[in-house]
Amino acid sequence: MLSTQEAQEGEKLVLALNNLTGRTMVLNRPKALNSLTLPMVQTIKRYLEDWEKSDLCDVVMLRSNSRKAFCAGGDVVQVSRDWRDGNKAQAMEFFRTEYKVNHHIATYKKPIVAMLDGFTMGGGVGLSVHAPFRVASENAVFAMPETKIGFFPDVGATFFLPRLDGELGVYLGLTGQKLKGRDLLYAGIATHYVPSERHALLEQRLQGLGTSDYTAINLAIEEFVAQPENSQSEDFVGVVNDVPIDFSLASVRDVIDICFKFNTIEAIMQALTEVANQPGPASEWAQKTYDQMNQMSPSSLKLTLEQLRRGAQLDIQKAFELELVLAERRLESHDMHEGIDALLVRKTNDAAWDPENINAVDIRELYSQYFEGDHETTPLYLGSTPFTEYPHKFGLPTEQEILDVVSGESPQAGGFGMTYELVMEFFMREYESKMGVEQKVNWVLSRRTELGDAGGTLRVIKS
């Protein structure tokens, strides 16, 4: 229950705008990059509950009052301070309420549109990635950097990261690598790419739409999307296999799968070392990634890898329940408080991890501490049915969906014997010529297929 003071603070930091049948939450803590406090997440929770029940609300929008940051995370400095001062219930209440909000967004009974303009990290990812519509701008910067503060990727990352293409989610969760702008669309984090200058007009359009129909909202957003970049753009990333795509990880996408497919951190680091020692365009990336991971908490790395492997098999409810257990156990650790102090308080980036390297982390002890035994869990949101895949898909097709069409395993596409032209035609028809579909399908086919034995048909290259 919010105190009067907390409610007043929350309402100052999370503004509520009502216009026609649209409702907008505006994060309003710009000096702190909209990092979330307990009163803020409590206020967001209350707005979501009220608007879901309101007959006057058709669509909910989330945005920031600043182009610099949508939300750069949770206020973990305060959480750490509360825990160490003995206010452990207060510290856990932040995570419990935050995860309830994240889970409610994932299971909301009305359309939610998140406008990603600026830094979208940690807690900001939790407010957006579970929504059916995630609109990224050129200013959007995504990251899950929790292993660098001795924590783990939370806010539902247990569920959403393993469901990105291949091992991309594991790579992002372990390294905290940033993605920018159109990267979010091609990685599957955003569903649409709309330049920042069009966001206000898009918000007005959705406010006046007068419907909760998801298809209608998707088509309205599509009115504002930008054309994919071409090779003449100054922001263009490059060409892979003679196929242009504006995705910063395009040239190392297959190498990510090769290096991050293993179930131990030691094997991943060894794979990165082998790639780094080989001549080729991926060598520099592999060395940089190896160095990135060496900066992270060794116990966080091992915890995160196991968390994400398990998350691939969990439903949305169980994923959040696991995170609540992990958060409390991690607050009991040395590394979380040391990492927060080093990076966010002292700002020296010189955390003294314990254990100090991955070889010193006893994996059996880690399993026992974080994953074994009975843990008390409470349902996060009772008004929903758990699911193992997001119910709404308005982004680009996944790599697996594309390859399933080629191999004949997609019931919507028919049998075997698909030519390049037929595959492209299928996806452009199914996605109604959505911006970015042609580029991604073309790119995936160039990497993962080859000509078969007859008639120009394609077959999947075994990885």
Side-chain angles (χ1 to χ4, degrees):
M1 186 74 179
L2 279 76
S3 68
T4 302
Q5 182 178 354
E6 287 174 329
Q8 290 175 344
E9 179 186 346
E11 289 171 2
K12 288 179 182 178
L13 301 179
V14 184
L15 307 178
L17 305 181
N18 300 342
N19 191 348
L20 301 175
T21 63
R23 301 292 181 267
T24 304
M25 271 184 268
V26 183
L27 303 181
N28 189 39
R29 198 186 177 206
K31 291 183 179 179
L33 301 179
N34 290 324
S35 60
L36 298 171
T37 64
L38 179 56
M40 288 175 74
V41 293
Q42 288 172 328
T43 300
I44 294 170
K45 178 176 179 289
R46 177 163 55 87
Y47 287 155
L48 287 172
E49 290 170 349
D50 290 347
W51 293 344
E52 189 172 40
K53 293 180 289 187
S54 172
D55 292 335
L56 301 177
C57 172
D58 285 329
V59 59
V60 172
M61 286 159 279
L62 281 164
R63 66 171 173 86
S64 163
N65 64 351
S66 166
R67 290 186 178 181
K68 189 172 183 180
F70 170 71
C71 171
D75 191 349
V76 290
V77 172
Q78 184 60 51
V79 171
S80 175
R81 186 178 295 127
D82 285 341
W83 184 270
R84 288 186 286 185
D85 287 346
N87 299 323
K88 295 185 178 182
Q90 178 87 348
M92 280 306 298
E93 184 59 25
F94 172 81
F95 287 119
R96 186 174 291 106
T97 307
E98 183 182 32
Y99 297 171
K100 284 182 178 179
V101 166
N102 302 149
H103 184 254
H104 196 178
I105 289 171
T107 57
Y108 209 62
K109 294 180 174 63
K110 293 180 179 179
I112 296 180
V113 182
M115 309 279 206
L116 310 184
D117 203 17
F119 291 111
T120 304
M121 301 180 178
V125 175
L127 289 181
S128 56
V129 78
H130 306 293
F133 302 103
R134 289 99 58 194
V135 180
S137 77
E138 71 280 7
N139 302 318
V141 180
F142 165 95
M144 294 297 291
E146 286 78 9
T147 55
K148 198 169 185 178
I149 60 167
F151 198 45
F152 64 93
D154 64 334
V155 297
T158 302
F159 188 83
F160 77 80
L161 283 179
R163 287 162 177 79
L164 298 180
D165 288 334
E167 301 297 332
L168 184 58
V170 175
Y171 164 67
L172 294 173
L174 291 175
T175 66
Q177 177 66 31
K178 293 177 182 176
L179 298 179
K180 301 177 181 180
R182 294 178 191 274
D183 285 346
L184 278 68
L185 178 65
Y186 291 115
I189 294 159
T191 57
H192 301 77
Y193 177 84
V194 175
S196 180
E197 63 184 11
R198 303 180 190 175
H199 279 203
L201 290 174
L202 172 58
E203 183 178 350
Q204 292 175 18
R205 177 80 170 93
L206 295 175
Q207 288 169 339
L209 203 58
T211 180
S212 290
D213 182 76
Y214 286 82
T215 300
I217 289 169
N218 180 56
L219 292 175
I221 298 172
E222 289 288 345
E223 295 172 11
F224 294 84
V225 299
Q227 293 278 352
E229 298 286 357
N230 57 43
S231 56
Q232 279 70 50
S233 167
E234 62 182 15
D235 298 323
F236 186 73
V237 173
V239 174
V240 180
N241 292 350
D242 298 323
V243 176
I245 186 168
D246 195 18
F247 182 29
S248 65
L249 297 178
S251 63
V252 294
R253 175 62 196 85
D254 293 329
V255 185
I256 288 173
D257 283 359
I258 291 170
C259 293
F260 285 84
K261 66 184 179 182
F262 299 101
N263 291 325
T264 68
I265 296 297
E266 290 87 347
I268 290 172
M269 299 293 272
Q270 178 60 34
L272 288 169
T273 299
E274 291 173 2
V275 174
N277 290 333
Q278 296 172 1
S283 175
E284 182 179 349
W285 168 84
Q287 186 61 57
K288 176 185 174 183
T289 303
Y290 183 94
D291 294 341
Q292 277 180 295
M293 291 180 64
N294 262 336
Q295 296 175 16
M296 310 306 183
S297 159
S299 58
S300 284
L301 289 175
K302 290 198 172 183
L303 170 62
T304 296
L305 182 59
E306 180 64 19
Q307 164 209 355
L308 297 182
R309 292 295 185 230
R310 292 182 182 226
Q313 308 302 321
L314 296 179
D315 65 41
I316 189 77
Q317 175 80 25
K318 294 297 183 185
F320 278 110
E321 289 176 356
L322 173 61
E323 289 185 0
L324 201 56
V325 172
L326 299 184
E328 185 170 16
R329 298 294 179 267
R330 206 59 189 158
L331 279 166
E332 296 169 348
S333 74
H334 161 274
D335 275 11
M336 180 174 177
H337 303 288
E338 171 64 14
I340 290 170
D341 281 350
L343 190 67
L344 303 176
V345 180
R346 302 194 306 265
K347 299 184 179 179
T348 52
N349 200 22
D350 61 350
W353 304 121
D354 183 20
E356 63 180 359
N357 59 63
I358 58 172
N359 293 324
V361 179
D362 187 327
I363 193 66
R364 289 170 296 183
E365 182 179 330
L366 184 141
Y367 285 171
S368 176
Q369 182 179 0
Y370 290 96
F371 297 102
E372 295 175 359
D374 295 327
H375 303 290
E376 290 187 14
T377 58
T378 55
L380 293 167
Y381 181 62
L382 295 174
S384 65
T385 302
F387 51 77
T388 55
E389 296 292 338
Y390 287 111
H392 304 292
K393 295 188 177 183
F394 294 101
L396 302 182
T398 66
E399 292 186 9
Q400 191 59 54
E401 287 169 344
I402 295 168
L403 297 179
D404 283 349
V405 168
V406 174
S407 65
E409 296 179 33
S410 171
Q412 289 82 18
F416 292 91
M418 297 283 279
T419 64
Y420 169 88
E421 290 77 14
L422 286 175
V423 174
M424 292 297 299
E425 180 183 326
F426 170 79
F427 280 102
M428 295 304 287
R429 182 179 66 252
E430 288 292 305
Y431 285 79
E432 299 180 334
S433 299
K434 177 181 175 69
M435 293 296 182
V437 170
E438 181 180 9
Q439 287 71 26
K440 182 168 183 179
V441 174
N442 194 25
W443 172 60
V444 172
L445 294 181
S446 74
R447 292 167 36 229
R448 300 295 310 279
T449 68
E450 61 186 2
L451 286 177
D453 296 328
T457 57
L458 297 176
R459 64 185 173 199
V460 176
I461 299 172
K462 294 183 179 180
S463 56

